[in-house]
Amino acid sequence: MKKIQNLKKTNELNLDGWQDVKRGLNSFKDKRNSIQLTDFSVSKFYADILYKTDSLAKKIVNEPVEDSLREGFSYVLKRKKESEKLNHEFKRLHLRNKIESAWKDARKYGGSVLLFGFDDALGLTDELEIDRIKSIKWILPFNKHQIQAEGIDENLESENFGRPLFYKFNYSNNFKENNNVVEKFHASRCIVFDGDILDYESFKRNGFFHESILTSIYPALKNYNIAHESIAAAFPEIWQGIYKIPSFMDAVASSNEELVKKRIEIMDDMRSNFRALVLGEGEDFDRKALSFAGIPELLNKVTERLVAVAKMPHTKLLGEGSQGNTSGRTEQTEWYDIVSHIQEQYLQPKLETIGEFLKQYICQDKEQEIQIEFNSLYQQDPLKEADVFLKYAQADNLYINNQTIDPHEVAQSRFSGLKFGNRIILDKKIRKANKLTSEIPEDKENNESKDE
């Protein structure tokens, strides 16, 4: 008997710990076990409705795109004239607006492409040979619901490995080029804009497109709107009238409810029309206000959750100061840092690819490097800007005196572009010439000078 009792005690002790059967913790009695994760995705239908009707959803989609492009940017090459031609061609093709459209669609739906119509004597289904580009005839954006992936690049050495080889137009479309129906195009002829990045397996299951950013913010956005709409709906009932009518229960019991309703209607009419209330013997009227204690704190928590998932500062998203210690100026700086990161990591590679397309038929030197210079998001004070230039000049002078860089490299890098250059580009030809000069023996130099 003692052994059996000891075994029972041992079993009970083993169950107590992470699981508590008596209290129902982590057992079938635990109500938390009814909560399950669900796979949810915002469809095109809901994305369109959210974008159309919800100002915050629209703002979350648009603001990073618009602020990244707001102050503009410039292509900078070695020769100023070629830089001007390339930037002029970019404007002529209205590329800024088309980039903005494709980028917003990618955030809204989960993916889009910017398709280029090149004059290269090849068809849209042929792989692009960049050196054959003579001009760009047209550029069009298409979102993920207008196209579908076809064929996957399985070449391990390809930069496009694991991504679609072609994109096929949906059957509802009937696009034509030179009076020929276009059913698909090669992936090398477009620039892909992604939405909220998924892992590769989810990316494949999603038709080789990523996810709408509205999917991850939808629960927080829904809670935010429900909370605020519920409070707004409660305001008409903020004052609750309380009527005291003698023999009320007797009237209800004798099915004379209509008499009670009529009496209450007369009271309401008198209060509305005459701003007075006449009461009978034993009647009474009182008003009590609904309590909103704790509501502001609850709304703050719902708002903080939305701000967190939107990845935007409170001031930027809602246009009001946050409840914390962070100032609006600090939040603006934080937001500009976020935008600068988006420009560098997301937008710049796409602009560089477009620059390579334009360079093929604009520039003589096809091998030269293209730089992208984004205009500052900050409106800098002229005196502070002059101080920055002075510091650049002092540093350049130090480098030149130490023979780290050549004066021609400084002049070319700083002043050959459309605006002041922040980077020094080393010139191989100048450095090679300097190296050859330094290798000439001193005796030979002296003899040449004597002969002169």
Side-chain angles (χ1 to χ4, degrees):
M1 290 292 293
K2 289 183 179 179
K3 290 183 177 179
I4 294 174
Q5 290 175 355
N6 290 334
L7 286 172
K8 287 182 178 178
K9 289 181 179 179
T10 304
N11 290 335
E12 287 178 1
L13 289 172
N14 286 337
L15 289 172
D16 292 337
W18 293 113
Q19 184 183 53
D20 192 331
V21 176
K22 292 181 180 180
R23 296 177 179 82
L25 298 177
N26 289 329
S27 70
F28 66 93
K29 296 180 181 179
D30 194 337
K31 294 181 180 179
R32 295 176 301 170
N33 290 333
S34 63
I35 301 173
Q36 301 291 334
L37 287 172
T38 57
D39 191 3
F40 169 77
S41 180
V42 170
S43 65
K44 181 181 184 300
F45 177 75
Y46 278 107
D48 288 336
I49 291 178
L50 281 170
Y51 190 81
K52 179 181 178 181
T53 63
D54 194 294
S55 59
L56 289 181
K58 187 173 185 177
K59 197 170 189 178
I60 292 169
V61 169
N62 290 350
E63 286 296 313
V65 178
E66 293 176 356
D67 280 358
S68 294
L69 297 169
R70 173 167 50 87
E71 295 300 328
F73 56 88
S74 300
Y75 286 102
V76 179
L77 294 87
K78 287 183 178 180
R79 298 179 180 176
K80 186 174 181 179
K81 288 186 178 179
E82 290 189 338
S83 298
E84 291 174 346
K85 287 181 180 179
L86 198 146
N87 284 289
H88 177 75
E89 181 70 357
F90 186 93
K91 292 179 181 179
R92 186 189 70 82
L93 294 169
H94 304 289
L95 266 161
R96 185 201 177 282
N97 294 337
K98 290 169 183 178
I99 289 171
E100 181 177 342
S101 177
W103 193 354
K104 286 181 178 179
D105 277 353
R107 291 176 60 81
K108 180 179 174 183
Y109 298 122
S112 67
V113 301
L114 199 59
L115 178 60
F116 288 75
F118 297 110
D119 180 8
D120 59 353
L122 297 173
L124 286 175
T125 56
D126 297 318
E127 184 175 2
L128 177 65
E129 297 178 23
I130 195 168
D131 56 350
R132 298 185 64 165
I133 298 176
K134 297 179 181 178
S135 67
I136 296 176
K137 298 181 290 184
W138 49 264
I139 305 167
L140 293 171
F142 296 97
N143 66 59
K144 63 177 281 189
H145 297 291
Q146 295 174 300
I147 56 178
Q148 53 186 307
E150 183 177 275
I152 305 303
D153 192 344
E154 298 178 348
N155 182 6
L156 293 172
E157 298 178 352
S158 172
E159 294 181 358
N160 197 47
F161 172 73
R163 298 182 71 98
L165 279 170
F166 298 91
Y167 289 99
K168 187 177 181 179
F169 291 112
N170 290 338
Y171 296 109
S172 58
N173 297 315
N174 188 25
F175 299 120
K176 295 181 179 181
E177 186 184 35
N178 297 326
N179 293 325
N180 296 320
V181 176
V182 178
E183 295 182 353
K184 63 181 181 180
F185 55 89
H186 199 277
S188 61
R189 295 181 174 271
C190 70
I191 294 177
V192 179
F193 289 79
D194 295 319
D196 202 2
I197 302 298
L198 299 172
D199 63 272
Y200 187 71
E201 292 302 318
S202 300
F203 173 67
K204 288 198 297 184
R205 289 194 298 270
N206 207 30
F208 291 91
F209 283 104
H210 291 284
E211 189 56 70
S212 166
I213 63 163
L214 297 174
T215 296
S216 61
I217 70 168
Y218 181 79
L221 190 64
K222 180 175 68 173
N223 292 338
Y224 177 88
N225 283 288
I226 289 174
H228 283 77
E229 292 294 333
S230 298
I231 298 302
F235 273 107
E237 306 296 332
I238 191 170
W239 291 103
Q240 183 64 50
I242 300 175
Y243 296 91
K244 184 179 179 180
I245 302 175
S247 304
F248 172 73
M249 296 306 298
D250 294 336
V252 173
S254 59
S255 300
N256 290 326
E257 297 96 332
E258 292 299 324
L259 292 175
V260 177
K261 291 179 181 178
K262 189 172 182 179
R263 177 59 182 138
I264 294 173
E265 288 176 1
I266 291 172
M267 289 183 180
D268 286 340
D269 289 341
M270 293 182 69
R271 287 194 303 116
S272 299
N273 298 330
F274 303 104
R275 295 183 181 180
L277 186 61
V278 179
L279 299 175
E281 184 178 356
E283 292 182 335
D284 191 14
F285 174 77
D286 192 12
R287 289 195 309 173
K288 287 190 176 181
L290 293 176
S291 175
F292 285 89
I295 296 297
E297 291 77 10
L298 177 62
L299 291 179
N300 286 339
K301 293 298 180 183
V302 174
T303 302
E304 288 172 6
R305 175 64 178 165
L306 178 61
V307 170
V309 299
K311 300 178 181 178
M312 295 175 66
H314 190 285
T315 306
K316 183 65 178 177
L317 179 62
L318 300 173
E320 61 183 14
S322 63
Q323 299 298 317
N325 295 324
T326 305
S327 66
R329 180 64 181 174
T330 304
E331 287 196 346
Q332 183 186 46
T333 303
E334 176 189 347
W335 175 243
Y336 284 165
D337 289 342
I338 293 171
V339 172
S340 296
H341 178 75
I342 293 172
Q343 288 177 332
E344 182 181 347
Q345 298 297 319
Y346 185 90
L347 181 59
Q348 184 168 326
K350 302 181 190 316
L351 295 178
E352 288 174 347
T353 302
I354 293 173
E356 291 296 325
F357 294 158
L358 301 177
K359 186 174 68 174
Q360 298 306 312
Y361 63 93
I362 289 177
C363 303
Q364 294 180 352
D365 182 6
K366 305 294 192 295
E367 302 299 324
Q368 64 179 307
E369 180 185 356
I370 293 180
Q371 293 183 66
I372 309 294
E373 291 188 355
F374 291 97
N375 297 327
S376 176
L377 296 168
Y378 298 91
Q379 300 299 321
Q380 195 169 24
D381 182 83
L383 292 177
K384 291 183 178 179
E385 189 175 18
D387 185 57
V388 170
F389 290 156
L390 176 61
K391 290 178 180 178
Y392 273 120
Q394 290 171 343
D396 292 342
N397 189 50
L398 184 63
Y399 287 135
I400 292 171
N401 291 335
N402 292 336
Q403 298 184 351
T404 306
I405 55 179
D406 189 274
H408 292 89
E409 290 176 323
V410 175
Q412 187 71 20
S413 301
R414 298 293 192 211
F415 306 109
S416 64
L418 299 178
K419 64 175 186 175
F420 183 81
N422 296 321
R423 293 173 55 195
I424 298 293
I425 301 173
L426 304 182
D427 192 313
K428 294 180 180 180
K429 294 180 179 178
I430 292 176
R431 292 187 162 266
K432 187 176 180 180
N434 290 341
K435 184 178 179 182
L436 292 173
T437 303
S438 63
E439 290 177 351
I440 297 175
E442 292 184 6
D443 293 341
K444 187 175 181 180
E445 288 184 2
N446 293 332
N447 291 334
E448 288 179 353
S449 60
K450 289 179 180 178
D451 293 338
E452 291 176 359

